[in-house]
Amino acid sequence: MTIESDPSYPAHWEADVVLRDGGTARIRPITTEDAGRLVSFYEQVSDESKYYRFFAPYPRLSDRDVHRFTHHDHVDRVGLAATIGGEFIATVRFDRIGPDGRPASAPADEAEVAFLVQDAHQGRGVASALLEHIGAVARERGIHRFAAEVLPANGKMIKVFTDAGYQQKRSFEDGAVRLTLDLEPTAESLAVQRAREQRAEARSVQRLLAPGSVAVIGVSRSGGGVGAAALRNLRDTGFHGHLYAVNEAASADLLDGVRAYRTVADIGGPVDLAVVAVPAHRVPDAVRACGEHGVQGLVVLSAGYGESGPAGLQRQRELVRQVRSYGMRLIGPNAFGVINTAPDVELNASLAPTPASARGRIGLFTQSGAIGIALLSGLLRRGEGLSSFVSAGNRADVSGNDILQYWYDDESTDVALMYLETLGNPRKFTRLARRTAAVKPVVVARGGRHTPAGHVVPGTRLPESTVSELLRQAGVIRVDTVTELVDVGLLLAGQPLPAGPRVAILGNSESLGVLTYDACLTRGLRPLPPLDLTTAATPEDFRTALADALASPDCDAVVVTAIPWVGENAPADDLAGALRDAVARHPGKPVAVVHVELGALAEALSTAAGTVAPRPPTTPPAPGPTTPTAAVPTTPAVPGPTTPTAGVPTTPAAPGRPTPTAGAPAAPAASASAPRPADTASATDPTARPSTAGEGRIPAYPAAERAVRAVAEVVRYAQWRRSLADAGQVPEYEDIDEAGAAAQLTALLAGAADSAITLDEADARALLARYGIRVLPTLPAPDADAAVRAARTLGYPVALKTTAPHLRHRADLGGVRLGLTTEAELRRAYHELTEALGKPAELLPVVQAMVPRGVDTVVRCVIDPAAGAVLSFGLAGVPSELLGDTAHRLVPATDRDAAALIRSIRAAPLLFGWRGSDPVDTPALEELLLRLSRLVHDHPEVIGVSLEPVVVATEGLSVLSATVRVARPPARTDLGPRTLPSY
């Protein structure tokens, strides 16, 4: 069914979802064309399930039943189906009812709901996903409550309702349990939804990274090509599961020492993961064969998709649809592969040979194979290994968001490094990153400001600097280059977090110490005077000096500088041992080493003193994406206090499915069984980190600036972690008229088209007033006499200003005259204005009362299509317009966010008494920011508000002008039901 064949068909209700076990299903409206599918589905449902659905034996559907269950008006009667491979696996429907329980139409706001899930798919979370989607549909159609009758013995269905998190009532009538659910989302229902989303998406990635069996499709008989390379890496790394080679022309039992088959169907046992390395035109056949064999996931190395142009992009869309139709997930296409170094898996399904020493505690996600190679080699060269690696290529399905969900629960990952070309869904990314960063660091480098070929994701209108600032507020460590990504990752993987910004500097070169001191000041750190040990310093001198610095209560981190000795050289191993010994005696503070022409020292320091140790189960894990493009310089923003995502206890993914083949190793079980809070374990004491594989390794840097940059980023991250202990709150204001604002917006948009509209001055002032934001009125002045009458109404002194779009807020062009105290002054100003700038009809002059002098500021809130609602603040005029001195926070803003927002611009001293001026009323400014944040958060119809200028005086403030844009809200948002991105 399509919109063309049925204009009433709600195509936006279609969605792909990840189920509890990591598989996928498609949810869509049931149409008249589904009669055969419905009958086939019902025949596969057990008699018991049918009895639970109809409260009586009901062996088959009558023609009347089939007609009723496939004919819907999509308003009062709605049916949705979950499908895999085009066939139904579950259905849900609602019928609107009136107070008497009989069928009704709007404005009746209650509906009866009923589910039926095929027995083979029960326990996969299908009903829970359907409830989320049918609930969103009901709210869209004006239904606020669901009523359901369930037999007491049907405990699974009762649990679906009771676990959803909605407010509900339960009663027992006529032998059945009657449940009434209030469909208004609550904090609990949102937490439940996101916890399920996290478990499902993490499990879907876990199935890809810890398979019990792998087939490589497209292995050449000559041993050359991409498929053969992937097969060799899988074999040589010692993959613990079953490994198969697939080549349609295979004539021998073995290819490169691995059992070979002509097709996936010929493989006797199950295949959990397929690595596809055939030309693009043959990939659909390979996908079909994998889907029919029950393969759980694909890594498609093949190129020729979105990166190759429009035709390739269309081929990519079709690939995603085909893969998801079989309930599989996809890494790629144009992927470089995946690596999992867990000792019970040892999977290297990539094109990068990985040495046995590659095991570590860093998770790495990239999109670009070239950048992936650079990062892998950079980490290995400096002695650090990986827990897992995903290079997703065109990222058509599995994205950095999915990997974040997996790393959050992965006890093998302590640090997440991500190289991103695009954020995909930035709103979801910042939400996931904030939650993950509360328990482990997330370091991100972005390689491009625009969507590259092959990536079909929503673009953002926000400047790159704004996106970077929003990421920092979410706790993300934002770096500019691949080199910085490795530098920061090494420090995080091997050293504890610092308790503050005080840095001790010691070494055998006074000049290098001074350079390090200057670099610390540039990065906002508080360096202590450098300690010069002189060029004659021995390893023992370094040991003593470092031990003293680490034991001192006056520093939080130490940077050691070292240059080659003159004359007889001390062995690098001796110096490395001395430094490691001092760190071991006084743990708890991070140490970085700056070396000049001492490569042997860096190599010696990269050797860990210990072995890989699993993280204790007291703290949870983290995320990452990639591509080689010019690094984007950003202006660092002072991180604001950020409220972590509502404490959603998460439980790890369910164990992998057992392999039926006798003796075949099962997919490794997911980590830990106990749920862990997302934002408490280590947020209050970020310096108390458990030991990791990297401990014992002291990161070494060839330049002072690189070491200090890494230390500064880690200091900032530790500060953000500490701030989580007091993240602030969104205040309640008793004078806010939320219902009145909703009614006004409904009336304003009733006759509007789908495009956005700008409210006139009266409507804008009225809407803002409902949230306690008073805009100073203006009176039109089409001629001098009207200006005089307006001034008499408002009272002198007054301001005369133009409101023509090309002159708005342009006092520098002479379009504003202030402090007019008499009629004569007003008439003279009016004459000068019209003589210099044009006729009154062109200038649209207005008269406004004067307000107390203060600092002119600009407050804005806009809805970005990808990032969501963003609150912005800056000083009016040159600071914000020319210098870009504007700060941003995500909505809803807390009281701590508002306080940090006005203090984070470079021109903030002007608000706090710069050069002896009187400080302005910043509490009033913070309240204005919070009220505007509430307005935009409460009403998604408000897509843009600009208050300019806002004059902040020593007491109070005045909003002189306001522009408000509104539009119909989107049908689905990030607060809606779980869904995979559509392509």
Side-chain angles (χ1 to χ4, degrees):
M1 181 69 68
T2 64
I3 294 177
E4 288 75 18
S5 60
D6 179 6
S8 69
Y9 179 78
H12 65 282
W13 293 351
E14 296 183 354
D16 293 308
V17 297
V18 184
L19 303 177
R20 181 182 301 154
D21 62 356
T24 66
R26 184 162 186 79
I27 294 175
R28 64 169 178 82
I30 298 174
T31 73
T32 57
E33 299 171 4
D34 289 320
R37 296 183 184 90
L38 181 65
V39 171
S40 174
F41 156 73
Y42 194 78
E43 289 174 348
Q44 298 177 62
V45 175
S46 70
D47 290 339
E48 181 183 48
S49 294
K50 294 173 183 176
Y51 185 87
Y52 284 154
R53 169 64 176 85
F54 293 103
F55 294 13
Y58 215 88
R60 64 186 58 83
L61 296 175
S62 66
D63 291 344
R64 182 179 178 182
D65 292 329
V66 173
H67 183 274
R68 177 173 171 240
F69 293 152
T70 56
H71 286 68
H72 305 93
D73 60 11
H74 308 306
V75 177
D76 299 324
R77 299 178 58 252
V78 171
L80 301 180
T83 68
I84 294 179
E87 298 302 319
F88 287 7
I89 64 168
T91 62
V92 62
R93 59 177 288 107
F94 74 67
D95 293 89
R96 193 189 302 257
I97 57 175
D100 58 357
R102 299 178 63 83
S105 298
D109 62 354
E110 185 171 335
E112 283 186 334
V113 65
F115 294 76
L116 185 60
V117 180
Q118 213 172 79
D119 295 68
H121 295 278
Q122 292 179 9
R124 301 184 65 198
V126 182
S128 298
L130 282 172
L131 178 58
E132 289 180 20
H133 283 260
I134 198 75
V137 168
R139 290 192 295 272
E140 182 181 331
R141 295 309 194 207
I143 292 172
H144 300 144
R145 290 180 307 281
F146 272 162
E149 291 189 352
V150 186
L151 288 175
N154 193 358
K156 291 180 180 179
M157 198 66 246
I158 294 175
K159 186 174 175 59
V160 168
F161 289 116
T162 57
D163 287 354
Y166 295 116
Q167 292 184 356
Q168 55 188 269
K169 297 178 182 178
R170 184 192 301 201
S171 60
F172 189 77
E173 302 174 11
D174 300 327
V177 177
R178 182 173 178 82
L179 296 165
T180 303
L181 276 69
D182 187 337
L183 296 180
E184 185 66 26
T186 65
E188 183 182 356
S189 69
L190 184 60
V192 168
Q193 177 180 311
R194 288 182 170 169
R196 288 171 172 167
E197 173 193 64
Q198 189 275 328
R199 290 194 297 269
E201 292 180 359
R203 174 59 179 149
S204 72
V205 174
Q206 194 264 348
R207 300 202 313 179
L208 293 166
L209 291 180
S213 52
V214 178
V216 181
I217 303 173
V219 180
S220 66
R221 290 177 292 173
S222 65
V226 171
L231 183 68
R232 279 194 298 273
N233 291 336
L234 278 160
R235 181 199 63 195
D236 296 345
T237 306
F239 173 57
H240 287 217
H242 294 291
L243 184 58
Y244 309 107
V246 177
N247 183 314
E248 61 183 13
S251 56
D253 291 339
L254 299 176
L255 274 177
D256 216 353
V258 175
R259 185 167 296 280
Y261 297 89
R262 288 180 177 271
T263 67
V264 173
D266 294 337
I267 300 174
V271 175
D272 296 327
L273 176 69
V275 180
V276 180
V278 298
H281 69 275
R282 290 174 50 199
V283 170
D285 293 336
V287 172
R288 186 180 307 108
C290 290
E292 292 173 354
H293 193 71
V295 174
Q296 296 180 346
L298 304 178
V299 176
V300 177
L301 307 179
S302 312
Y305 287 89
E307 80 284 354
S308 63
L313 189 57
Q314 181 58 33
R315 190 180 301 121
Q316 183 170 302
R317 292 190 177 103
E318 293 169 356
L319 171 64
V320 174
R321 282 193 286 268
Q322 184 186 18
V323 168
R324 289 180 180 172
S325 72
Y326 288 106
M328 299 185 290
R329 297 218 66 183
L330 162 72
I331 291 178
N334 195 29
F336 190 71
V338 299
I339 296 173
N340 183 358
T341 64
D344 56 346
V345 180
E346 295 190 287
L347 172 79
N348 181 4
S350 79
L351 302 180
T354 308
S357 60
R359 186 176 304 148
R361 311 291 297 179
I362 290 179
L364 177 61
F365 177 88
T366 74
Q367 289 168 232
S368 159
I371 297 299
I373 293 172
L375 287 167
L376 283 171
S377 61
L379 290 168
L380 294 174
R381 186 171 58 251
R382 295 171 70 178
E384 187 55 63
L386 298 174
S387 60
S388 52
F389 165 75
V390 177
S391 180
N394 292 359
R395 196 172 45 81
D397 180 28
V398 172
S399 69
N401 287 342
D402 297 290
I403 305 304
L404 274 176
Q405 300 277 39
Y406 170 75
W407 277 328
Y408 175 77
D409 266 344
D410 181 29
E411 294 186 351
S412 298
T413 301
D414 292 344
V415 180
L417 303 185
M418 308 178 82
Y419 186 88
L420 304 176
E421 292 170 347
T422 58
L423 291 181
N425 182 344
R427 192 182 305 196
K428 182 176 179 179
F429 179 82
T430 53
R431 168 168 61 86
L432 300 183
R434 177 184 290 116
R435 184 196 60 195
T436 304
V439 293
K440 61 180 68 174
V442 179
V443 191
V444 171
R446 289 198 63 196
R449 285 180 256 187
H450 306 288
T451 303
H455 304 282
V456 190
V457 295
T460 174
R461 294 191 293 259
L462 297 177
E464 176 66 14
S465 59
T466 302
V467 174
S468 296
E469 186 175 341
L470 297 177
L471 289 178
R472 289 184 184 279
Q473 292 167 37
V476 172
I477 301 175
R478 172 72 167 84
V479 298
D480 296 327
T481 67
V482 171
T483 300
E484 291 171 357
L485 191 65
V486 174
D487 285 347
V488 176
L490 288 172
L491 186 62
L492 289 165
Q495 298 293 309
L497 297 179
R502 302 169 300 172
V503 180
I505 303 167
L506 61 93
N508 62 353
S509 167
E510 182 180 11
S511 298
L512 191 53
V514 171
L515 283 174
T516 306
Y517 184 88
D518 290 343
C520 287
L521 291 175
T522 301
R523 290 291 176 186
L525 299 174
R526 291 165 49 192
L528 305 179
L531 174 61
D532 180 19
L533 302 178
T534 77
T535 55
T538 65
E540 184 59 34
D541 295 329
F542 274 91
R543 184 202 320 267
T544 302
L546 179 56
D548 290 345
L550 291 172
S552 170
D554 299 326
C555 81
D556 305 303
V558 182
V559 177
V560 178
T561 63
I563 62 172
W565 284 268
V566 178
E568 183 177 349
N569 291 340
D573 286 345
D574 291 349
L575 179 55
L579 296 177
R580 274 205 301 264
D581 182 64
V583 170
R585 291 173 183 270
H586 302 278
K589 296 179 182 178
V591 177
V593 172
V594 178
H595 65 92
V596 176
E597 298 301 326
L598 279 174
L601 173 61
E603 184 176 345
L605 287 171
S606 70
T607 303
T611 58
V612 177
R615 175 187 287 278
T618 53
T619 22
T626 102
T627 257
T629 1
V632 182
T634 62
T635 304
V638 178
T642 312
T643 306
T645 303
V648 180
T650 61
T651 51
R657 66 169 180 173
T659 306
T661 306
S671 56
S673 57
R676 298 187 299 272
D679 51 12
T680 57
S682 57
T684 55
D685 184 10
T687 61
R689 294 180 59 204
S691 75
T692 70
E695 290 188 359
R697 295 192 182 104
I698 302 175
Y701 304 88
E705 295 79 8
R706 286 175 57 182
V708 171
R709 166 69 187 257
V711 171
E713 293 294 351
V714 174
V715 166
R716 181 180 294 173
Y717 169 68
Q719 178 187 14
W720 180 85
R721 284 273 288 266
R722 287 191 294 272
S723 74
L724 296 182
D726 181 18
Q729 59 184 355
V730 177
E732 298 287 340
Y733 295 106
E734 294 183 358
D735 60 342
I736 285 180
D737 182 10
E738 184 176 346
Q744 181 183 352
L745 288 166
T746 300
L748 290 169
L749 292 169
D754 292 335
S755 58
I757 60 174
T758 300
L759 300 187
D760 61 33
E761 180 181 346
D763 287 333
R765 286 176 54 206
L767 179 64
L768 292 168
R770 296 183 187 279
Y771 273 72
I773 300 172
R774 179 177 179 271
V775 182
L776 203 66
T778 60
L779 296 178
D783 53 48
D785 292 338
V788 171
R789 289 193 298 271
R792 289 172 182 166
T793 300
L794 298 172
Y796 288 99
V798 296
L800 176 68
K801 53 187 181 181
T802 62
T803 59
H806 66 288
L807 295 173
R808 195 175 181 86
H809 308 309
R810 292 297 306 273
D812 55 313
L813 297 181
V816 179
R817 306 299 168 92
L818 303 175
L820 306 175
T821 59
T822 66
E823 179 179 333
E825 289 183 8
L826 177 57
R827 289 186 179 277
R828 183 168 57 253
Y830 198 97
H831 175 73
E832 292 172 352
L833 201 67
T834 53
E835 280 289 312
L837 299 178
K839 298 178 181 179
E842 300 171 350
L843 303 182
L844 305 176
V846 297
V847 176
Q848 192 172 50
M850 289 294 294
V851 298
R853 290 187 178 274
V855 178
D856 290 359
T857 65
V858 181
V859 176
R860 294 191 178 99
C861 196
V862 299
I863 305 295
D864 183 78
V870 179
L871 182 67
S872 304
F873 170 76
L875 298 193
V878 172
S880 59
E881 295 178 14
L882 180 62
L883 303 179
D885 187 16
T886 306
H888 313 273
R889 290 295 183 273
L890 291 172
V891 170
T894 67
D895 50 3
R896 292 190 72 241
D897 288 333
L901 182 60
I902 65 175
R903 290 163 175 79
S904 58
I905 59 173
R906 297 191 298 278
L910 293 173
L911 302 170
F912 296 94
W914 187 62
R915 288 189 171 180
S917 61
D918 292 330
V920 301
D921 192 350
T922 52
L925 182 57
E926 293 171 16
E927 182 177 332
L928 174 68
L929 291 165
L930 291 167
R931 286 178 178 273
L932 180 59
S933 170
R934 278 287 309 275
L935 170 65
V936 175
H937 180 64
D938 292 345
H939 305 283
E941 299 92 342
V942 181
I943 62 171
V945 179
S946 177
L947 308 180
E948 181 181 6
V950 177
V951 181
V952 190
T954 54
E955 291 187 14
L957 55 76
S958 302
V959 181
L960 302 189
S961 177
T963 302
V964 179
R965 288 177 57 78
V966 298
R968 298 186 185 280
R972 300 289 172 89
T973 68
D974 191 44
L975 299 178
R978 302 173 267 159
T979 179
L980 288 170
S982 58
Y983 289 91

